[in-house]
């Protein structure tokens, strides 16, 4: 008689804690949500942005990241000063990016001449801080030293030391201001040694990386990137600074071919990724044009910027405002974070995690997932999916290329009978 192997025991729902809740009073930058306006702006464009600052503030952003690339703020910083004042009056902070799309190393750009390059950057830093900036952003750090293929080790070491020296100089400049402005930058994880040097030795308030930017549209891979970043930053006591924008991939030699989630991304996928990164603890940089913001090229290298100027953008603004309000009320920026597995209503391509009591469902598959009715719907990146169309107590569909937030259902005790 042939024995039949016993069926595997069913696996219950498991919750894997990745990040513990942080309590206490925090400086503004630890849980900031930053509206990324970092495309190079001239004085005219800065003035135009002033007209939509109140709209950006109303949805709940903490700060604005701006790059006055075509403005000589060293000679005349009056336009930037007026802009910073207007933003402060709206209740927002201002982070000024001083470099271009990259911060070149010892073979060009800032370090082509150490004395002149550092002097120029320090003068721009002083001008931005004098204008009232709450933070300085160095843009993307280039560790290739001008050669993306096997740079000379000696030259590279010299470049690393020069950059560390620059960071120390800038930190000393920031320390002279009572407002305690922050220092931020962006680094690639392609070179792990260089990235960890920036993370461990050159202390930035916000050091963004490309963990989400270069990740394919795959729930398991995104989950792995989130977990790695949180575990690494927690070990060092750093705040995670999320930035899922694929704009940084344009023109980069190390950009993955077809590897980024943003290759061929629809507006729905962009909105889903924006809502997904907003559900993670730490600071978040949201590109202006990913939700509610619109760029209208003028044909002369400039762009006119509008906020919630059409029907879809207005729905996106409402969605963003709801998400930022929930993130603030529930302290998701400092809340606990855990992945949830083996739910009987999910399928491959669906990632579920809980942050500060909020259950987040990301659907990267081609099939909708139905979330049981006991999880109360909060907000969805699928902006045309209105709450009124789905009454409470009814299961909720999360379509493909969508991220949705729910109230985590309370665990109910197993009913039992007893007698006195």
């Amino acid at each position: 008689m042939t024995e039949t192997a016993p069926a595997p025991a069913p696996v219950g729902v498991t919750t894997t804690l990745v990040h513990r809740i942080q309590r206490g009073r925090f400086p503004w930058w630890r849980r900031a949500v930053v509206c990324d306006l970092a495309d190079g702006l001239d004085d005219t464009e800065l003035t135009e942005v002033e007209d939509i600052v109140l709209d950006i503030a109303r949805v709940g952003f903490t700060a604005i990241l701006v790059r006055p690339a075509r403005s000589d703020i060293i000679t005349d910083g009056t336009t930037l000063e007026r802009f910073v004042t207007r933003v402060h009056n709206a209740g927002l902070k201002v982070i000024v990016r001083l470099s271009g799309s990259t911060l070149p190393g010892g073979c060009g750009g800032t370090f082509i001449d150490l004395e002149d390059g550092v002097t120029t950057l320090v003068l721009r830093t002083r001008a931005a801080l004098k204008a009232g900036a709450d933070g300085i952003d160095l843009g993307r750090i280039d560790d290739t030293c001008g050669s993306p293929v096997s740079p000379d080790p000696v030259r590279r070491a010299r470049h690393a030391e020069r950059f560390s020296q620059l960071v120390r100089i800038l930190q000393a400049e920031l320390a002279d201001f009572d407002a305690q402005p922050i220092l931020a930058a962006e680094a690639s994880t392609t070179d792990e040694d260089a990235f960890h040097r920036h993370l461990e030795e050159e202390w930035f308030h916000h050091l963004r990386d490309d963990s989400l930017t270069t990740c394919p549209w795959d729930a398991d891979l995104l989950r792995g990137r989130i977990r790695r970043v949180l575990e690494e930053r927690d070990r060092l006591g750093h705040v995670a600074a999320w930035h899922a924008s694929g704009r940084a991939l344009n023109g980069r030699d190390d950009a993955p071919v077809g590897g980024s989630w943003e290759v061929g991304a629809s507006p729905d996928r962009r909105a889903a990724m924006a809502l997904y990164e907003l559900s993670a603890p730490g600071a978040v940089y949201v590109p202006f044009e990913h939700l509610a913001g619109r760029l209208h090229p003028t044909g002369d290298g400039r762009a006119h910027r509008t906020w919630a100027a059409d029907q879809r953008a207005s729905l996106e603004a409402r969605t963003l405002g709801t998400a930022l309000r929930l993130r603030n009320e529930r302290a998701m920026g400092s809340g606990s974070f855990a992945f949830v597995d083996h739910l009987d209503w999910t399928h491959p391509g669906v990632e579920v995690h809980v942050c500060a009591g909020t259950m987040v469902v990301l659907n990267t598959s081609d099939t909708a997932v139905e979330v049981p009715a006991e999880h109360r719907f909060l907000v969805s990146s699928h902006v045309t999916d209105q709450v009124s169309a789905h009454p409470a107590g009814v299961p909720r569909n999360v379509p493909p290329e969508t991220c949705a937030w729910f109230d985590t259902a309370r665990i109910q005790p197993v009913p039992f009978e007893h007698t006195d």
Side-chain angles (χ1 to χ4, degrees):
M1 185 175 62
T2 303
E3 293 186 1
T4 303
V11 179
V13 177
T14 59
T15 302
T16 306
L17 181 66
V18 177
H19 173 81
R20 295 183 182 277
I21 187 173
Q22 298 175 322
R23 304 182 187 278
R25 296 173 63 91
F26 300 101
W28 67 269
W29 52 269
R30 289 195 65 89
R31 299 186 291 191
V33 181
V34 183
C35 181
D36 181 358
L37 277 156
D39 292 317
L41 306 177
D42 60 18
D43 286 350
T44 301
E45 290 168 317
L46 276 177
T47 302
E48 287 185 348
V49 170
E50 291 180 21
D51 296 334
I52 59 175
V53 163
L54 283 176
D55 296 316
I56 295 173
R58 286 190 188 104
V59 298
F61 278 106
T62 312
I64 288 179
L65 173 64
V66 64
R67 178 163 66 95
R70 296 188 290 274
S71 299
D72 187 358
I73 63 174
I74 297 176
T75 303
D76 182 9
T78 54
T79 302
L80 178 60
E81 185 175 2
R82 187 186 69 241
F83 175 83
V84 172
T85 300
R86 179 69 180 271
V87 176
H88 283 170
N89 289 341
L92 297 174
K93 304 289 186 180
V94 181
I95 303 173
V96 176
R97 178 173 292 176
L98 297 180
S99 70
S101 59
T102 62
L103 178 63
C107 307
T110 300
F111 294 110
I112 192 170
D113 181 328
L114 182 60
E115 294 299 326
D116 180 65
V118 171
T119 299
T120 301
L121 194 58
V122 169
L123 289 175
R124 286 177 62 81
T125 298
R126 289 176 181 172
L129 294 174
K130 184 179 179 181
D134 303 284
I136 299 299
D137 189 289
L138 299 183
R140 181 173 174 269
I141 304 166
D142 183 1
D143 288 298
T144 62
C145 197
S147 174
V149 181
S150 302
D152 177 69
V154 175
R155 202 176 188 185
R156 184 169 181 162
R158 188 183 306 120
H159 159 52
E161 176 54 35
R162 286 178 173 179
F163 183 78
S164 295
Q165 178 184 354
L166 170 64
V167 172
R168 290 192 292 270
I169 292 172
L170 296 181
Q171 287 171 339
E173 292 291 331
L174 269 62
D176 286 339
F177 287 79
D178 295 335
Q180 297 181 326
I182 69 170
L183 185 63
E186 178 182 346
S188 174
T189 58
T190 303
D191 186 329
E192 292 189 5
D193 290 339
F195 175 75
H196 284 96
R197 184 183 71 251
H198 297 309
L199 195 62
E200 297 173 8
E201 298 180 14
E202 299 153 356
W203 199 87
F204 290 92
H205 297 82
H206 290 167
L207 182 62
R208 304 178 300 277
D209 61 45
D210 53 8
S211 293
L212 296 184
T213 302
T214 59
C215 188
W217 183 242
D218 180 276
D220 290 336
L221 295 177
L222 286 166
R223 166 183 168 142
R225 300 287 178 95
I226 291 276
R227 178 169 187 162
R228 185 182 69 189
V229 170
L230 286 175
E231 291 180 342
E232 189 169 53
R233 304 303 176 100
D234 286 350
R235 177 175 58 84
L236 296 172
H238 281 266
V239 61
W242 306 102
H243 196 275
S245 170
R247 294 185 307 183
L249 295 174
N250 297 333
R252 273 174 47 183
D253 294 327
D254 61 343
V257 179
S260 171
W261 66 268
E262 201 165 7
V263 175
S266 65
D268 285 342
R269 185 185 296 183
R270 288 177 181 271
M273 280 300 293
L275 197 59
Y276 184 66
E277 64 173 338
L278 283 171
S279 71
V284 181
Y285 286 69
V286 180
F288 170 78
E289 64 273 23
H290 274 204
L291 282 172
R294 295 293 186 267
L295 298 178
H296 309 279
T298 59
D300 56 358
R302 298 177 180 177
H304 178 62
R305 289 162 177 80
T306 60
W307 185 262
D310 55 51
Q311 183 178 10
R312 181 182 174 90
S314 296
L315 292 173
E316 290 176 355
R318 190 182 311 168
T319 296
L320 179 59
T322 300
L324 294 181
R325 175 180 57 80
L326 290 168
R327 178 180 168 89
N328 182 57
E329 291 176 353
R330 297 170 177 234
M332 294 172 68
S334 57
S336 58
F337 185 97
F339 293 110
V340 184
D341 295 300
H342 309 304
L343 293 160
D344 57 11
W345 47 266
T346 60
H347 57 257
V350 177
E351 193 269 289
V352 180
H353 65 257
V354 175
C355 181
T358 304
M359 185 180 76
V360 178
V361 180
L362 177 70
N363 189 358
T364 66
S365 74
D366 297 327
T367 307
V369 58
E370 187 176 82
V371 179
E374 59 261 29
H375 301 285
R376 183 174 65 89
F377 172 78
L378 296 173
V379 66
S380 170
S381 64
H382 202 266
V383 295
T384 58
D385 193 11
Q386 299 301 314
V387 177
S388 58
H390 296 269
V394 176
R396 183 90 179 194
N397 272 344
V398 178
E401 299 200 324
T402 300
C403 179
W405 296 5
F406 299 82
D407 248 339
T408 305
R410 293 182 177 275
I411 299 175
Q412 302 296 330
V414 177
F416 67 96
E417 294 183 359
H418 68 279
T419 57
D420 292 333

